[in-house]
Each structure stands twice: as C-alpha cells, then as structure tokens.
Amino acid sequence: MSFKNGNKSILLIVLMSLFVILTACQSNNSSNEEESKSSEENEEVKTLEPEVVNVYVRENLKEPFNEVIKNFEEDHEDIKLNVQYMKNDEMMEEAVNNDKNAIAFTTEDVVNNLIDENMIEYKDTGVAMMDELVLFTKADSSDIQKAGDIGNETRIAILNPEFYEEGELSKKVFENEEFKDVSTTDNLILGDSIEDVKQDITNENAKVGVLYLSDVEDDENYEVLKRLPRNIVEPYIYKIGIINKEGLENSTKTVYDYLLSNDSLDVFSEYGYII
C-alpha cells in the first residue's frame, strides 16, 4: 500500500468514527429530550387536582353513606366528594344560600320543594330507596312475640313528635282500627333520639318500640314484630336530585349516576333500606 493510499484509509476511518460518535450523541440527546418531556407530562398529570362535587345528605344516612364515599373515591381518583350531613331544614337553607352546584340526597318532600323553588329540574331526580316504620321489641322478650300481643297496658317507645316527623307518624299508627285496643294515653315513652328509643326497649322501660326498619334491621338486640302496612303509614321515600346553578359538569353527573347505581344502593340495602 502506498503512503498516499494509507493516509486516505486512515482519514476514512477517522471520518467514519466521527460519524458514529455524532450519531450516537444525537440519538442520546433525542432520547433524553423524550424522557424529559415524558417526565414533565407525567408530573403535570400527577399535580392535577381532583374535581370537587358537593353532596348534601340527610344526617341519618351518615353511616352507610360513608361506605359509599369510600367505594366511589377508590374508583374515581379524579373526583373528590365534599359531603355535608344535615337536617332537612338545614339542607333547604344551604341550597338557597349556596351558589355552587350540588347533589341532594334526602327525603322526597325536600327534593320536591327544591323542584318547586326551581333549583332542581324534575328530569335530574331519581328515587333511591324507601324505609318503613316497624314495630319492634327486645330480641329475647317473652311478653311480646307478635304484634297481636300488644295490649291496653303495653308501654310503647317512640321518638318525640315535637322534634321528629317519625314520632308524629308513630303516634298516628295507634289511631288505626288495627290497634283500637291499645291505649296510648299514658303508655307512650318519648325519646329524644333513636338511641333513646332503643335504650328504653333494652332497659324494658317499654315493651314495644316504633322506628324505621333501617334503625333496627341489623341490630341483633332487637326483633321486628311487624312492618306497618301502607294503609296505616306511607313509607319514607329517599330521592336524589342535582341542584344546578352553574351549568351541569360531567363530574356532578358522574356522582349522580353512581349514587343511583347498584354499587351504591346495595350498601343501603345492607342497612335495611328497601331498594
């Protein structure tokens, strides 16, 4: 090989080596840029805050609804539920004064009032479940084993009609012909809470209590004697409605649909509500 040809070969080898090095560097830079871009995008996704949906729930539904919240948020990481538990009158006041969208989960009469006030459209409502008043007694009671055993001297525990609609309905139950032999003149024991009524039965201050099925269904200390028929007292109906003040967001509709789904209502069924 001549000296001249040898120089050409060396030059060629050097140029090829430089080409390989430059190509590798360019590829590496491109890869780093892609990784950096991907990392930035992932970081952006991670920092996105979940959408908040306000939900007003009647206070007696707190225990089952807490389970519903947990189940929902496990499957919907992009939505956060801001739940407020309240009495019906408090819910009406909150709905009137708050300018944000919300979902109301409460009794039928309140949802209907919100429709009358043009805060909920009828098409944005759905029936969730029902609850029925029942007569119940202590699980191991030997005196009262069926509704027919309730007599003129039987002491009956109910919620105070002054504070609870359930108490007023319970009192009216014994005005029905079916209970004509039951005297409530001196035999009604008034409780200021559900627990008070149940405690009166436990301590045998009263032999029979009147509460909603959901209050006693899953409690082994008590036995249901009778579901009160609808010709005596109508069941308590719970409805769900969307309070739409800002235009309906997808997140609010997602929550509304979930609350009316079997995944949600099955939880309430376990607590004694009628689906």
Side-chain angles (χ1 to χ4, degrees):
M1 179 187 297
S2 69
F3 178 74
K4 187 175 181 180
N5 288 339
N7 285 342
K8 286 182 178 179
S9 297
I10 293 170
L11 181 60
L12 183 60
I13 292 169
V14 171
L15 289 173
M16 289 178 65
S17 299
L18 287 172
F19 177 77
V20 170
I21 292 169
L22 289 172
T23 302
C25 289
Q26 187 176 8
S27 175
N28 189 49
N29 287 339
S30 176
S31 176
N32 288 340
E33 287 174 7
E34 288 296 325
E35 288 178 7
S36 176
K37 184 178 179 181
S38 176
S39 177
E40 288 173 4
E41 289 175 352
N42 288 338
E43 189 64 30
E44 186 179 348
V45 170
K46 287 179 182 176
T47 55
L48 285 176
E49 292 294 327
E51 293 186 64
V52 177
V53 175
N54 297 312
V55 187
Y56 307 150
V57 181
R58 196 171 191 267
E59 60 180 0
N60 64 301
L61 301 178
K62 184 173 183 177
E63 190 173 351
F65 203 83
N66 281 341
E67 285 190 37
V68 172
I69 295 170
K70 179 176 177 292
N71 295 341
F72 176 85
E73 292 187 342
E74 282 178 356
D75 294 334
H76 301 80
E77 294 181 358
D78 57 331
I79 299 175
K80 174 87 174 160
L81 299 184
N82 177 34
V83 180
Q84 298 178 61
Y85 297 103
M86 54 186 76
K87 293 181 172 67
N88 281 345
D89 57 342
E90 295 171 337
M91 191 177 300
M92 283 296 299
E93 185 177 349
E94 183 70 19
V96 169
N97 295 331
N98 199 323
D99 60 359
K100 300 292 185 183
N101 287 352
I103 293 172
F105 193 151
T106 185
T107 51
E108 182 179 40
D109 58 323
V110 175
V111 173
N112 289 343
N113 287 341
L114 290 168
I115 292 173
D116 292 340
E117 295 293 332
N118 296 318
M119 285 184 281
I120 289 180
E121 292 187 43
Y122 183 78
K123 67 180 180 62
D124 294 328
T125 67
V127 174
M129 59 209 183
M130 296 188 301
D131 209 354
E132 292 179 324
L133 279 177
V134 297
L135 304 177
F136 72 99
T137 189
K138 196 174 179 181
D140 57 356
S141 173
S142 56
D143 298 331
I144 306 290
Q145 297 183 351
K146 59 184 185 298
D149 294 334
I150 302 173
N152 192 45
E153 301 298 323
T154 304
R155 291 169 68 83
I156 301 163
I158 67 171
L159 286 166
N160 192 330
E162 257 187 78
F163 309 121
Y164 292 91
E165 181 185 1
E166 297 98 307
E168 186 63 37
L169 293 172
S170 300
K171 192 174 179 181
K172 288 180 178 178
V173 163
F174 298 99
E175 297 172 4
N176 186 272
E177 181 68 14
E178 182 176 341
F179 298 100
K180 62 182 180 181
D181 295 331
V182 178
S183 171
T184 58
T185 306
D186 299 311
N187 292 330
L188 287 183
I189 311 297
L190 306 184
D192 290 333
S193 70
I194 291 168
E195 285 308 313
D196 281 352
V197 173
K198 293 167 82 170
Q199 203 59 44
D200 280 330
I201 300 300
T202 299
N203 297 336
E204 299 188 349
N205 295 329
K207 289 294 184 181
V208 174
V210 187
L211 287 173
Y212 277 107
L213 179 63
S214 61
D215 296 323
V216 295
E217 174 78 348
D218 63 343
D219 194 328
E220 62 184 13
N221 295 310
Y222 307 104
E223 180 180 340
V224 174
L225 295 170
K226 182 182 182 69
R227 291 187 181 192
L228 293 169
R230 295 180 186 183
N231 66 310
I232 295 180
V233 61
E234 287 292 320
Y236 223 36
I237 297 174
Y238 288 88
K239 294 185 77 171
I240 300 172
I242 299 174
I243 301 170
N244 189 350
K245 295 192 174 184
E246 305 176 298
L248 186 59
E249 309 102 329
N250 288 335
S251 55
T252 301
K253 186 65 166 60
T254 297
V255 175
Y256 171 80
D257 289 340
Y258 182 86
L259 293 178
L260 287 171
S261 72
N262 289 338
D263 288 340
S264 167
L265 298 181
D266 284 349
V267 173
F268 290 98
S269 178
E270 291 172 4
Y271 280 81
Y273 293 93
I274 302 162
I275 306 303

